[in-house]
């Protein structure tokens, strides 16, 4: 089927930047923002959804949420300590939330007043994080929600001409913010898009395609997953011909492919929460907390199926990590110290899991098999 805005490449990227991505094995996700202050609680009540979605809870007035920036002061935030913890855990890349659905920007954006400089903390948080991780040899990816609850021009759908006019302004705003991020933080290796599932965006295949091409021209080597674009018909991730639109499949969220055929031979990563659901800090973790052992098993499975595994952390409003997360990171790091050879630069070995574990192979072990 002829498509104007479908996949422009069939098969994997083979350039050095993407080869580097493929070798990571283990990554870290960080969700940090205004929601980290509440930790899922408001007025003595507990929100059962993911804590970073609390603004959408009918018990919490928008006005209250949108004024939280006045209390945002992560005074114990220590980017070097965050990078050290990630380094000990053995992660090769980190994805940080620059702006979640609430629209609050953790960097001093010229294009939105709803940003870190208006808080008691005042200082940029993204720059120091980018530099600390980069210095520790950990590649940085920026999470960016296209959907923005704070922007009046955001639309869920485009039903009228006025909607399209507003949404066109929103597109320009989005492009400006992304240009700003890549300009301020040239160390960035890729962008992790989110909030792209609404009809308005699905009707914007031409724009999302041009945006993707523009960002890659601005920042050669940039890696963007399949959660950004839509094709001519509003298909996401895979175009109407079944081809992946993006540098890797970005749909494995809190789930792992069943077997190798489910990956369709594409690059992919799986992003995982330690509790059942919820990415931002939550005072109460509902349900089962994955143990380090369970997370390590998932990591091994992902690498054995040619994917990367990314574990999410939700620091507290003061900028420190809960003990449970610190311990989890440390135990995974201890395991990585001994077993990293089976993870870094490793992939599908063609052998099924046995009762004693998963198989992965690297360039070196491939020769010795
Ligand atoms: C999104 C966000 O809404 C969430 O807060 C978090 O940031 C997570 C990493 O991404 O949530 C999603 C997005 C996509 C799916 C599910 C949850 N999905 O495709 O199944």
């Amino acid at each position: 089927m002829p498509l104007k805005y479908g996949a422009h490449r069939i098969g994997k990227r083979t350039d050095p930047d993407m080869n580097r991505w493929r070798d990571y094995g283990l990554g870290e996700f960080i969700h940090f923002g205004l929601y980290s202050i509440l930790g899922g609680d408001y007025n003595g009540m507990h929100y059962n959804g993911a804590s970073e979605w609390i603004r959408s809870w009918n018990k919490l007035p928008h006005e209250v949420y949108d004024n939280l920036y006045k209390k945002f002061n992560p005074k114990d935030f220590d980017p070097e300590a965050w990078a050290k913890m990630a380094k000990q855990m053995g992660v090769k890349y980190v994805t940080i939330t620059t702006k979640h659905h609430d629209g609050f920007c953790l960097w001093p954006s010229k294009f939105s007043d709803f940003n870190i400089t208006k808080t008691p903390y005042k200082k940029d948080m993204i720059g120091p994080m980018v530099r600390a991780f980069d210095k520790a040899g950990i590649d940085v990816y920026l999470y960016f929600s296209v959907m923005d609850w704070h922007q009046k021009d955001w639309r869920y759908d485009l039903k009228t001409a006025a909607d399209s006019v507003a949404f066109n302004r929103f597109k320009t705003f989005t492009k400006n913010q992304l240009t700003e991020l890549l300009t301020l933080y040239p160390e960035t290796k890729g962008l992790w898009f989110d909030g792209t599932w609404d009809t308005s965006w699905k009707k914007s295949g031409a724009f999302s395609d041009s945006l993707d091409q523009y960002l890659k021209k601005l920042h050669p080597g940039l890696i963007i997953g399949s959660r950004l674009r839509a094709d001519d018909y509003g298909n996401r991730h895979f175009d109407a011909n079944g081809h992946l639109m993006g540098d890797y499949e970005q749909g494995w969220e809190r789930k792992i492919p069943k077997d190798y055929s489910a990956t369709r031979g594409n690059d992919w990563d799986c992003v995982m929460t330690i509790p059942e659901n919820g990415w931002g800090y939550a005072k109460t973790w509902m349900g089962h907390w994955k143990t380090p052992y369970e997370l390590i098993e998932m990591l091994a499975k992902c690498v054995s199926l040619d994917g990367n595994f990314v574990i999410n952390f939700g620091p507290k409003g003061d900028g420190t990590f809960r003990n449970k997360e610190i311990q989890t990171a440390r135990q995974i790091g201890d395991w990585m110290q001994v077993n990293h050879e089976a993870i870094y630069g490793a992939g599908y070995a063609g052998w099924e899991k046995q009762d004693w574990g998963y198989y992965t192979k690297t360039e070196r072990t491939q020769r010795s098999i």
Side-chain angles (χ1 to χ4, degrees):
M1 180 188 295
L3 291 172
K4 273 202 262 181
Y5 313 118
H8 299 301
R9 182 198 63 249
I10 292 170
K12 295 179 178 183
R13 252 174 77 169
T14 54
D15 54 285
D17 293 298
M18 198 64 203
N19 288 341
R20 192 175 159 90
W21 185 94
R22 206 167 281 134
D23 284 350
Y24 291 148
L26 177 62
E28 177 182 3
F29 212 147
I30 295 177
H31 276 73
F32 193 65
L34 297 181
Y35 45 81
S36 314
I37 302 176
L38 297 179
D41 291 353
Y42 169 65
N43 225 355
M45 296 175 289
H46 179 70
Y47 172 59
N48 278 325
S51 81
E52 72 283 1
W53 275 81
I54 197 166
R55 189 184 181 276
S56 64
W57 187 25
N58 57 15
K59 300 234 158 66
L60 170 68
H62 285 174
E63 205 184 293
V64 172
Y65 189 92
D66 293 341
N67 277 300
L68 278 178
Y69 73 93
K70 293 177 185 159
K71 289 191 203 151
F72 191 73
N73 193 10
K75 54 181 183 3
D76 298 323
F77 168 61
D78 178 352
E80 272 78 31
W82 287 24
K84 198 172 160 198
M85 176 174 150
K87 189 75 182 172
Q88 191 280 334
M89 178 175 158
V91 310
K92 291 285 189 186
Y93 69 131
V94 64
T95 304
I96 1 183
T97 47
T98 59
K99 177 180 93 165
H100 207 266
H101 308 331
D102 59 11
F104 178 71
C105 306
L106 272 81
W107 80 99
S109 180
K110 274 194 299 199
F111 303 99
S112 167
D113 277 345
F114 199 41
N115 79 47
I116 192 88
T117 62
K118 300 293 188 305
T119 69
Y121 186 73
K122 288 198 181 75
K123 299 174 290 253
D124 179 21
M125 287 189 74
I126 300 301
M129 263 195 271
V130 170
R131 289 185 284 273
F133 282 110
D134 192 64
K135 227 169 95 192
I138 297 168
D139 284 356
V140 176
Y141 290 72
L142 302 180
Y143 168 105
F144 183 92
S145 171
V146 172
M147 175 170 74
D148 185 324
W149 295 330
H150 196 78
Q151 293 300 319
K152 291 188 179 59
D153 289 332
W154 165 259
R155 293 290 180 284
Y156 289 94
D157 197 355
L158 308 175
K159 289 193 177 133
T160 63
D163 284 341
S164 296
V165 171
F167 205 62
N168 279 337
R169 281 195 301 264
F170 182 79
K171 288 175 189 164
T172 303
F173 159 76
T174 300
K175 186 175 171 182
N176 284 340
Q177 283 207 318
L178 291 164
T179 305
E180 185 178 49
L181 283 170
L182 292 178
T183 309
L184 287 173
Y185 315 116
E187 298 89 344
T188 304
K189 298 289 188 288
L191 296 168
W192 205 98
F193 284 101
D194 199 13
T196 48
W197 49 72
D198 286 303
T199 311
S200 54
W201 194 253
K202 289 201 258 178
K203 285 179 179 172
S204 304
F207 176 73
S208 64
D209 188 12
S210 70
L211 182 64
D212 182 271
Q213 293 185 32
Y214 161 79
L215 294 168
K216 285 181 170 161
K217 212 163 160 193
L218 180 69
H219 201 88
L222 193 71
I223 293 172
I224 297 178
S226 62
R227 218 182 260 196
L228 172 64
R229 290 179 49 199
D231 77 356
D232 313 34
Y233 299 97
N235 294 296
R236 297 180 58 240
H237 298 282
F238 294 91
D239 70 16
N241 297 316
H243 298 129
L244 183 67
M245 292 180 289
D247 298 324
Y248 65 94
E249 194 188 342
Q250 205 188 339
W252 298 104
E253 181 179 297
R254 288 183 294 134
K255 55 182 190 278
I256 298 172
K258 188 164 96 282
D259 52 25
Y260 188 69
S261 69
T263 72
R264 309 190 206 184
N266 287 312
D267 284 313
W268 61 277
D269 71 3
C270 163
V271 293
M272 186 61 72
T273 52
I274 301 178
E276 288 294 328
N277 189 18
W279 302 79
Y281 173 65
K283 286 179 188 156
T284 313
W285 267 358
M286 308 293 282
H288 177 64
W289 301 6
K290 292 173 196 77
T291 64
Y293 183 84
E294 286 171 311
L295 293 164
I296 289 165
E297 166 140 17
M298 289 175 172
L299 164 67
K301 180 169 184 184
C302 287
V303 174
S304 82
L305 296 175
D306 256 355
N308 292 329
F309 187 61
V310 180
I311 303 174
N312 180 70
F313 292 79
K316 296 182 277 186
D318 65 4
T320 65
F321 288 81
R322 66 194 320 148
N323 282 336
K324 197 90 186 163
E325 287 187 349
I326 293 174
Q327 284 159 12
T328 301
R330 190 172 302 135
Q331 289 179 51
I332 291 172
D334 290 347
W335 185 89
M336 285 295 287
Q337 188 105 42
V338 177
N339 300 289
H340 59 86
E341 232 197 320
I343 303 297
Y344 301 144
Y348 181 58
W351 294 355
E352 277 183 21
K353 176 186 181 285
Q354 301 296 318
D355 290 344
W356 52 85
Y358 298 93
Y359 286 95
T360 67
K361 79 178 175 191
T362 63
E363 260 177 52
R364 192 179 68 75
T365 56
Q366 184 169 18
R367 284 199 296 272
S368 62
I369 277 173

PDB file of all heavy atoms in Angstrom, residues 29 31 52-53 100-101 143 192 194 197 227 253 279, ligand 1:
ATOM      1  N   PHE A  29      14.979   4.141  34.078  1.00  0.00           N
ATOM      2  CA  PHE A  29      13.982   5.161  33.757  1.00  0.00           C
ATOM      3  C   PHE A  29      13.786   5.969  35.041  1.00  0.00           C
ATOM      4  O   PHE A  29      13.784   5.394  36.133  1.00  0.00           O
ATOM      5  CB  PHE A  29      12.661   4.471  33.397  1.00  0.00           C
ATOM      6  CG  PHE A  29      11.803   5.184  32.387  1.00  0.00           C
ATOM      7  CD1 PHE A  29      11.025   4.446  31.493  1.00  0.00           C
ATOM      8  CD2 PHE A  29      11.742   6.568  32.319  1.00  0.00           C
ATOM      9  CE1 PHE A  29      10.213   5.083  30.542  1.00  0.00           C
ATOM     10  CE2 PHE A  29      10.942   7.207  31.380  1.00  0.00           C
ATOM     11  CZ  PHE A  29      10.177   6.462  30.491  1.00  0.00           C
ATOM     12  N   HIS A  31      11.152   8.819  36.709  1.00  0.00           N
ATOM     13  CA  HIS A  31       9.973   9.690  36.662  1.00  0.00           C
ATOM     14  C   HIS A  31      10.050  10.652  37.839  1.00  0.00           C
ATOM     15  O   HIS A  31      10.002  10.227  38.997  1.00  0.00           O
ATOM     16  CB  HIS A  31       8.687   8.872  36.745  1.00  0.00           C
ATOM     17  CG  HIS A  31       8.249   8.334  35.412  1.00  0.00           C
ATOM     18  ND1 HIS A  31       8.884   7.301  34.775  1.00  0.00           N
ATOM     19  CD2 HIS A  31       7.226   8.707  34.585  1.00  0.00           C
ATOM     20  CE1 HIS A  31       8.281   7.054  33.624  1.00  0.00           C
ATOM     21  NE2 HIS A  31       7.265   7.886  33.476  1.00  0.00           N
ATOM     22  N   GLU A  52       1.738   9.566  38.859  1.00  0.00           N
ATOM     23  CA  GLU A  52       2.006  10.684  37.950  1.00  0.00           C
ATOM     24  C   GLU A  52       0.749  11.107  37.180  1.00  0.00           C
ATOM     25  O   GLU A  52       0.759  12.107  36.481  1.00  0.00           O
ATOM     26  CB  GLU A  52       3.172  10.353  37.004  1.00  0.00           C
ATOM     27  CG  GLU A  52       2.890   9.342  35.910  1.00  0.00           C
ATOM     28  CD  GLU A  52       2.871   7.885  36.385  1.00  0.00           C
ATOM     29  OE1 GLU A  52       3.065   7.632  37.592  1.00  0.00           O
ATOM     30  OE2 GLU A  52       2.646   6.997  35.537  1.00  0.00           O
ATOM     31  N   TRP A  53      -0.330  10.325  37.356  1.00  0.00           N
ATOM     32  CA  TRP A  53      -1.620  10.654  36.722  1.00  0.00           C
ATOM     33  C   TRP A  53      -2.580  11.314  37.708  1.00  0.00           C
ATOM     34  O   TRP A  53      -3.744  11.539  37.393  1.00  0.00           O
ATOM     35  CB  TRP A  53      -2.265   9.375  36.159  1.00  0.00           C
ATOM     36  CG  TRP A  53      -1.787   9.013  34.786  1.00  0.00           C
ATOM     37  CD1 TRP A  53      -0.629   8.368  34.459  1.00  0.00           C
ATOM     38  CD2 TRP A  53      -2.447   9.288  33.536  1.00  0.00           C
ATOM     39  NE1 TRP A  53      -0.539   8.216  33.092  1.00  0.00           N
ATOM     40  CE2 TRP A  53      -1.637   8.763  32.508  1.00  0.00           C
ATOM     41  CE3 TRP A  53      -3.662   9.915  33.189  1.00  0.00           C
ATOM     42  CZ2 TRP A  53      -1.991   8.851  31.151  1.00  0.00           C
ATOM     43  CZ3 TRP A  53      -4.007  10.000  31.837  1.00  0.00           C
ATOM     44  CH2 TRP A  53      -3.164   9.478  30.844  1.00  0.00           C
ATOM     45  N   HIS A 100       6.250  15.664  31.857  1.00  0.00           N
ATOM     46  CA  HIS A 100       5.237  14.596  31.805  1.00  0.00           C
ATOM     47  C   HIS A 100       3.910  15.193  31.331  1.00  0.00           C
ATOM     48  O   HIS A 100       3.865  16.347  30.887  1.00  0.00           O
ATOM     49  CB  HIS A 100       5.141  13.878  33.171  1.00  0.00           C
ATOM     50  CG  HIS A 100       4.669  12.466  33.033  1.00  0.00           C
ATOM     51  ND1 HIS A 100       3.345  12.117  33.145  1.00  0.00           N
ATOM     52  CD2 HIS A 100       5.329  11.318  32.744  1.00  0.00           C
ATOM     53  CE1 HIS A 100       3.220  10.805  32.937  1.00  0.00           C
ATOM     54  NE2 HIS A 100       4.405  10.301  32.692  1.00  0.00           N
ATOM     55  N   HIS A 101       2.824  14.426  31.415  1.00  0.00           N
ATOM     56  CA  HIS A 101       1.542  14.884  30.867  1.00  0.00           C
ATOM     57  C   HIS A 101       1.060  16.199  31.489  1.00  0.00           C
ATOM     58  O   HIS A 101       0.351  16.974  30.858  1.00  0.00           O
ATOM     59  CB  HIS A 101       0.452  13.821  31.069  1.00  0.00           C
ATOM     60  CG  HIS A 101       0.833  12.454  30.583  1.00  0.00           C
ATOM     61  ND1 HIS A 101       1.708  12.258  29.535  1.00  0.00           N
ATOM     62  CD2 HIS A 101       0.454  11.214  30.990  1.00  0.00           C
ATOM     63  CE1 HIS A 101       1.844  10.943  29.325  1.00  0.00           C
ATOM     64  NE2 HIS A 101       1.100  10.296  30.199  1.00  0.00           N
ATOM     65  N   TYR A 143      12.832  11.815  28.128  1.00  0.00           N
ATOM     66  CA  TYR A 143      11.404  11.505  28.027  1.00  0.00           C
ATOM     67  C   TYR A 143      10.666  12.815  27.796  1.00  0.00           C
ATOM     68  O   TYR A 143      10.928  13.819  28.482  1.00  0.00           O
ATOM     69  CB  TYR A 143      10.922  10.867  29.333  1.00  0.00           C
ATOM     70  CG  TYR A 143       9.406  10.770  29.457  1.00  0.00           C
ATOM     71  CD1 TYR A 143       8.747   9.553  29.302  1.00  0.00           C
ATOM     72  CD2 TYR A 143       8.626  11.900  29.720  1.00  0.00           C
ATOM     73  CE1 TYR A 143       7.361   9.462  29.413  1.00  0.00           C
ATOM     74  CE2 TYR A 143       7.241  11.813  29.825  1.00  0.00           C
ATOM     75  CZ  TYR A 143       6.620  10.603  29.665  1.00  0.00           C
ATOM     76  OH  TYR A 143       5.250  10.529  29.776  1.00  0.00           O
ATOM     77  N   TRP A 192      12.545   9.958  24.103  1.00  0.00           N
ATOM     78  CA  TRP A 192      11.561   8.925  24.441  1.00  0.00           C
ATOM     79  C   TRP A 192      10.196   9.609  24.485  1.00  0.00           C
ATOM     80  O   TRP A 192       9.883  10.308  25.452  1.00  0.00           O
ATOM     81  CB  TRP A 192      11.907   8.332  25.803  1.00  0.00           C
ATOM     82  CG  TRP A 192      11.420   6.926  26.048  1.00  0.00           C
ATOM     83  CD1 TRP A 192      12.140   5.783  25.906  1.00  0.00           C
ATOM     84  CD2 TRP A 192      10.120   6.505  26.514  1.00  0.00           C
ATOM     85  NE1 TRP A 192      11.369   4.686  26.241  1.00  0.00           N
ATOM     86  CE2 TRP A 192      10.130   5.102  26.608  1.00  0.00           C
ATOM     87  CE3 TRP A 192       8.931   7.188  26.838  1.00  0.00           C
ATOM     88  CZ2 TRP A 192       9.025   4.357  27.021  1.00  0.00           C
ATOM     89  CZ3 TRP A 192       7.823   6.448  27.250  1.00  0.00           C
ATOM     90  CH2 TRP A 192       7.876   5.045  27.343  1.00  0.00           C
ATOM     91  N   ASP A 194       6.054  10.135  24.497  1.00  0.00           N
ATOM     92  CA  ASP A 194       4.896   9.556  25.172  1.00  0.00           C
ATOM     93  C   ASP A 194       3.710  10.493  24.944  1.00  0.00           C
ATOM     94  O   ASP A 194       3.873  11.610  24.439  1.00  0.00           O
ATOM     95  CB  ASP A 194       5.219   9.424  26.672  1.00  0.00           C
ATOM     96  CG  ASP A 194       4.301   8.442  27.383  1.00  0.00           C
ATOM     97  OD1 ASP A 194       3.589   7.681  26.701  1.00  0.00           O
ATOM     98  OD2 ASP A 194       4.293   8.443  28.625  1.00  0.00           O
ATOM     99  N   TRP A 197      -1.097   9.094  21.846  1.00  0.00           N
ATOM    100  CA  TRP A 197      -2.114   8.121  21.452  1.00  0.00           C
ATOM    101  C   TRP A 197      -3.448   8.759  21.073  1.00  0.00           C
ATOM    102  O   TRP A 197      -4.358   8.081  20.637  1.00  0.00           O
ATOM    103  CB  TRP A 197      -2.321   7.101  22.574  1.00  0.00           C
ATOM    104  CG  TRP A 197      -2.505   7.749  23.925  1.00  0.00           C
ATOM    105  CD1 TRP A 197      -3.602   8.431  24.357  1.00  0.00           C
ATOM    106  CD2 TRP A 197      -1.543   7.807  24.994  1.00  0.00           C
ATOM    107  NE1 TRP A 197      -3.391   8.902  25.637  1.00  0.00           N
ATOM    108  CE2 TRP A 197      -2.139   8.535  26.054  1.00  0.00           C
ATOM    109  CE3 TRP A 197      -0.243   7.304  25.153  1.00  0.00           C
ATOM    110  CZ2 TRP A 197      -1.473   8.782  27.258  1.00  0.00           C
ATOM    111  CZ3 TRP A 197       0.403   7.559  26.354  1.00  0.00           C
ATOM    112  CH2 TRP A 197      -0.207   8.281  27.383  1.00  0.00           C
ATOM    113  N   ARG A 227       7.069   5.307  19.349  1.00  0.00           N
ATOM    114  CA  ARG A 227       5.912   5.916  19.989  1.00  0.00           C
ATOM    115  C   ARG A 227       5.675   7.356  19.521  1.00  0.00           C
ATOM    116  O   ARG A 227       4.788   8.036  20.024  1.00  0.00           O
ATOM    117  CB  ARG A 227       6.075   5.891  21.503  1.00  0.00           C
ATOM    118  CG  ARG A 227       4.761   5.620  22.226  1.00  0.00           C
ATOM    119  CD  ARG A 227       4.945   5.637  23.729  1.00  0.00           C
ATOM    120  NE  ARG A 227       5.040   4.302  24.265  1.00  0.00           N
ATOM    121  CZ  ARG A 227       4.895   4.012  25.553  1.00  0.00           C
ATOM    122  NH1 ARG A 227       4.640   4.965  26.420  1.00  0.00           N
ATOM    123  NH2 ARG A 227       5.011   2.784  25.984  1.00  0.00           N
ATOM    124  N   GLU A 253       5.696  -2.202  27.119  1.00  0.00           N
ATOM    125  CA  GLU A 253       5.671  -1.527  28.398  1.00  0.00           C
ATOM    126  C   GLU A 253       5.093  -2.452  29.460  1.00  0.00           C
ATOM    127  O   GLU A 253       3.948  -2.888  29.340  1.00  0.00           O
ATOM    128  CB  GLU A 253       4.816  -0.272  28.268  1.00  0.00           C
ATOM    129  CG  GLU A 253       4.785   0.481  29.559  1.00  0.00           C
ATOM    130  CD  GLU A 253       3.968   1.724  29.440  1.00  0.00           C
ATOM    131  OE1 GLU A 253       4.342   2.589  28.664  1.00  0.00           O
ATOM    132  OE2 GLU A 253       2.948   1.799  30.129  1.00  0.00           O
ATOM    133  N   TRP A 279       4.637   5.046  38.010  1.00  0.00           N
ATOM    134  CA  TRP A 279       6.007   5.382  37.607  1.00  0.00           C
ATOM    135  C   TRP A 279       6.578   6.471  38.515  1.00  0.00           C
ATOM    136  O   TRP A 279       7.752   6.446  38.850  1.00  0.00           O
ATOM    137  CB  TRP A 279       6.015   5.820  36.132  1.00  0.00           C
ATOM    138  CG  TRP A 279       5.470   4.754  35.238  1.00  0.00           C
ATOM    139  CD1 TRP A 279       4.143   4.451  35.035  1.00  0.00           C
ATOM    140  CD2 TRP A 279       6.212   3.810  34.452  1.00  0.00           C
ATOM    141  NE1 TRP A 279       4.027   3.371  34.180  1.00  0.00           N
ATOM    142  CE2 TRP A 279       5.285   2.976  33.793  1.00  0.00           C
ATOM    143  CE3 TRP A 279       7.576   3.599  34.243  1.00  0.00           C
ATOM    144  CZ2 TRP A 279       5.671   1.947  32.942  1.00  0.00           C
ATOM    145  CZ3 TRP A 279       7.967   2.569  33.374  1.00  0.00           C
ATOM    146  CH2 TRP A 279       7.020   1.764  32.743  1.00  0.00           C
TER     147      TRP A 279
HETATM  148  C1  LIG B   1       2.713   6.218  29.777  1.00  0.00           C
HETATM  149  C2  LIG B   1       2.426   7.303  30.785  1.00  0.00           C
HETATM  150  O1  LIG B   1       1.066   7.624  30.742  1.00  0.00           O
HETATM  151  C3  LIG B   1       2.852   6.827  32.161  1.00  0.00           C
HETATM  152  O2  LIG B   1       2.567   7.806  33.123  1.00  0.00           O
HETATM  153  C4  LIG B   1       4.335   6.525  32.150  1.00  0.00           C
HETATM  154  O3  LIG B   1       5.081   7.716  31.888  1.00  0.00           O
HETATM  155  C5  LIG B   1       4.631   5.457  31.100  1.00  0.00           C
HETATM  156  C6  LIG B   1       6.101   5.199  30.925  1.00  0.00           C
HETATM  157  O4  LIG B   1       4.086   5.852  29.813  1.00  0.00           O
HETATM  158  O5  LIG B   1       1.787   5.180  30.018  1.00  0.00           O
HETATM  159  C7  LIG B   1       1.477   4.273  29.070  1.00  0.00           C
HETATM  160  C8  LIG B   1       1.776   4.449  27.765  1.00  0.00           C
HETATM  161  C9  LIG B   1       1.487   3.442  26.834  1.00  0.00           C
HETATM  162  C10 LIG B   1       0.902   2.270  27.261  1.00  0.00           C
HETATM  163  C11 LIG B   1       0.572   2.104  28.571  1.00  0.00           C
HETATM  164  C12 LIG B   1       0.861   3.110  29.491  1.00  0.00           C
HETATM  165  N1  LIG B   1       0.676   1.248  26.342  1.00  0.00           N
HETATM  166  O6  LIG B   1       1.016   1.403  25.144  1.00  0.00           O
HETATM  167  O7  LIG B   1       0.215   0.147  26.710  1.00  0.00           O
END
